Amino acid sequence: MKSGLQKSIAAWIEGGRKVGFLLLLVAGSAILGFLIAWPLWLFATSARQAYTITVLSLAGAGVVFLVVRAAQRRRRAVRDAGKPPRTFLSGLLTALMVVVGIAGVYLAAALIVRGLWIIGAAVIAVWGGLLWLIGRARGAAKNRKVRPVPAENRGE
């Protein structure tokens, strides 16, 4: 009987530890979120134009950073003989996919916020189909490499 009571108490203690850890995790996340969001909210409400310029500048710098990093990695990467080289058309279609995707998300969000749910759902479907078609065209635009050594079919 004593071991059963000890097991029961141990189970309650373990459950209490798990609940306490979960509460500590939620409280820590809330405090961290508040410490990040509150100064940004103050900046956004007190100096709207400066906040807008700052956020757009940081976003632009992030895009430039990603483009430069991708270009550097592409130069440093060892050419894999099995991979076909990317064509200009493939890169152009990729950029078109990004622009169409961003425009579609913006348009759908604007329509849904204005309460035009049916039109917003239709826009999402049309933009999804358009992105799918552009993705298919991009896949077709990539060069296909011919095998360096053709298959040898000798019956000997």
Side-chain angles (χ1 to χ4, degrees), residues 9-71:
I9 291 173
W12 276 100
I13 290 174
E14 183 65 26
R17 284 183 184 162
K18 289 182 180 180
V19 169
F21 176 74
L22 180 67
L23 290 175
L24 184 65
L25 187 64
V26 169
S29 297
I31 290 170
L32 184 62
F34 179 76
L35 289 175
I36 292 171
W38 186 61
L40 290 173
W41 175 78
L42 281 177
F43 183 36
T45 55
S46 63
R48 291 180 182 164
Q49 289 180 344
Y51 178 78
T52 302
I53 291 169
T54 303
V55 168
L56 290 177
S57 299
L58 288 174
V63 169
V64 168
F65 170 75
L66 291 175
V67 168
V68 168
R69 186 179 70 172

Side-chain angles (χ1 to χ4, degrees), residues 67-108:
V67 168
V68 168
R69 186 179 70 172
Q72 287 176 344
R73 284 184 178 179
R74 185 171 291 152
R75 278 191 182 165
R76 275 191 250 141
V78 177
R79 292 300 285 159
D80 185 7
K83 287 186 177 180
R86 296 185 105 195
T87 62
F88 175 74
L89 182 60
S90 173
L92 185 67
L93 288 173
T94 302
L96 181 65
M97 280 183 70
V98 169
V99 170
V100 167
I102 290 172
V105 167
Y106 179 78
L107 180 61

Side-chain angles (χ1 to χ4, degrees), residues 134-154:
I134 296 172
R136 298 277 304 206
R138 186 181 79 171
K142 290 182 179 177
N143 285 339
R144 306 278 187 232
K145 282 205 167 187
V146 181
R147 287 185 182 168
V149 178
E152 296 180 13
N153 294 327
R154 295 185 188 185

